[in-house]
Amino acid sequence: MSSCLVEIDESSVVVRLTGVLDAAGAEAVRGALLARLCDRPGPVVADVSGLRVAEPAGWGVFAEVRREVADWPAADLLLCDPVAGRPDHADGALAGVPVWPTLDGALAAVAAAPLAAVLTIDLAPTVGAARQARELVTTGCQRWGMPTLTDPACIAITEMVNNVVAHARTPMTVRLAPQDSTLHLAVRDHSPRRPAFAGVSPPTRAGGRGLLLIDTVARRWGSSAVPDGKVVWCVLHPDDEAALFG
């Protein structure tokens, strides 16, 4: 049994990990961090000041989480580790993860890049959910100066929400945020069933084209398993939409 304790402060971006992280506890840490990133937009700081990792490769869980959320709207993971160059850091295990030696430094880095733009709405799995999601997307595209992405983003979010209504049948959270010139969309539901895209549906098959539409308008898309459900996300780029709709 893992002796790693995860403490989440609901009023803060900090998640504290203490004790010993072994292979058995890595999945629990992954789940806790992803759940926190689901629950609130913006970066999370994992404070590992009081953590010891039993196997050097165990540090890889933090890089894995950061890669997993890279395309989520307004999500990132930073690490606070005062022991620079720990001997138990595996070579490359923390590749790409920003590491700060003090918690104050990590929090200052978060404050220096304030969350300027993100929209979120909680929806019930009803027929009107897709319309509400489109309204949010339209508002975001207007607010952030992304008019060319309004139509394709509405197509994508409609399919993502309708999949929840038709299949997951659970409450959902829709979130969107700009990142440079791209628009990131995500829908979090409470079903573990993840979407599977098998290519173009035969013309004789009714339905099943929602993922094809997302695949057509999005530069990339995917899904992430999280505690008590999943996150389905996609990224739209204006250059792609110019080719499709121009």
Side-chain angles (χ1 to χ4, degrees):
M1 184 175 180
S2 173
S3 57
C4 176
L5 177 64
V6 180
E7 298 176 86
I8 295 175
D9 180 353
E10 297 295 337
S11 64
S12 167
V13 301
V14 178
V15 175
R16 287 183 174 82
L17 295 95
T18 56
V20 179
L21 175 63
D22 56 18
E27 186 60 28
V29 167
R30 175 187 180 277
L33 292 173
L34 289 176
R36 188 59 175 152
L37 286 156
C38 281
D39 289 344
R40 59 178 291 165
V44 163
V45 176
D47 182 359
V48 298
S49 305
L51 184 69
R52 183 172 69 83
V53 177
E55 295 292 334
W59 288 108
V61 68
F62 300 104
E64 178 191 343
V65 168
R66 191 165 193 256
R67 287 192 298 269
E68 190 73 52
V69 305
D71 285 320
W72 290 14
D76 199 5
L77 178 67
L78 293 75
L79 215 62
C80 167
D81 185 1
V83 190
R86 287 193 197 214
D88 61 348
H89 280 183
D91 289 342
L94 286 173
V97 182
V99 181
W100 296 85
T102 67
L103 186 56
D104 285 345
L107 293 175
V110 171
L115 188 60
V118 62
L119 290 174
T120 300
I121 188 172
D122 294 322
L123 298 173
T126 61
V127 173
R131 174 185 54 78
Q132 292 177 271
R134 287 193 298 271
E135 291 172 353
L136 189 75
V137 164
T138 301
T139 296
C141 288
Q142 291 173 344
R143 182 177 299 175
W144 304 324
M146 298 178 157
T148 61
L149 293 180
T150 303
D151 288 344
C154 282
I155 290 172
I157 205 67
T158 296
E159 299 306 326
M160 294 162 75
V161 168
N162 281 344
N163 279 341
V164 178
V165 174
H167 303 295
R169 301 186 181 93
T170 74
M172 72 192 91
T173 299
V174 174
R175 184 167 293 156
L176 57 146
Q179 182 175 319
D180 299 322
S181 62
T182 61
L183 180 64
H184 295 239
L185 309 175
V187 178
R188 189 262 203 270
D189 66 50
H190 299 275
S191 167
R193 180 182 177 186
R194 296 172 70 178
F197 178 50
V200 179
S201 299
T204 54
R205 179 180 172 187
R209 293 179 174 79
L211 294 179
L212 173 61
L213 287 171
I214 296 172
D215 191 67
T216 299
V217 300
R219 173 158 291 195
R220 54 189 179 273
W221 71 275
S223 64
S224 305
V226 300
D228 186 33
K230 64 180 175 294
V231 173
V232 179
W233 54 265
C234 70
V235 179
L236 293 95
H237 194 288
D239 291 348
D240 301 337
E241 312 323 320
L244 281 171
F245 299 94

